[in-house]
Amino acid sequence: MALAVARSVGLDGKVASLTLEQAREQMGPIADALALDQQLTPARAGRELGWVPVRTDPLAVLAAGE
């Protein structure tokens, strides 16, 4: 995710690693959410709402700045 965001803002994919404690100091509580191993899936929206995604690669969307 960090690489996709860096590319979308013109940083040419340059990122630096932080410890979780450093990230908490810089980002606050959102650091813990970003540290989770999260999986994105449209399955529930498809089942319950009949939704069919147009864009199926969230990292590509982030990288494109959309």
Side-chain angles (χ1 to χ4, degrees), residues 5-52:
V5 172
R7 288 184 182 124
S8 75
V9 295
L11 296 178
D12 200 26
K14 296 176 185 167
V15 297
S17 295
L18 301 173
T19 66
L20 184 53
E21 189 57 40
Q22 289 170 319
R24 286 176 179 143
E25 289 173 12
Q26 291 184 23
M27 298 180 231
I30 192 74
D32 288 296
L34 294 173
L36 297 173
D37 183 13
Q38 299 180 40
Q39 306 249 339
L40 303 173
T41 174
R44 183 175 177 192
R47 275 193 319 272
E48 295 181 13
L49 305 173
W51 178 71
V52 178

Side-chain angles (χ1 to χ4, degrees), residues 41-43 45-46 50-61 66:
T41 174
W51 178 71
V52 178
V54 175
R55 296 181 179 106
T56 58
D57 184 352
L59 293 180
V61 172
E66 297 178 16

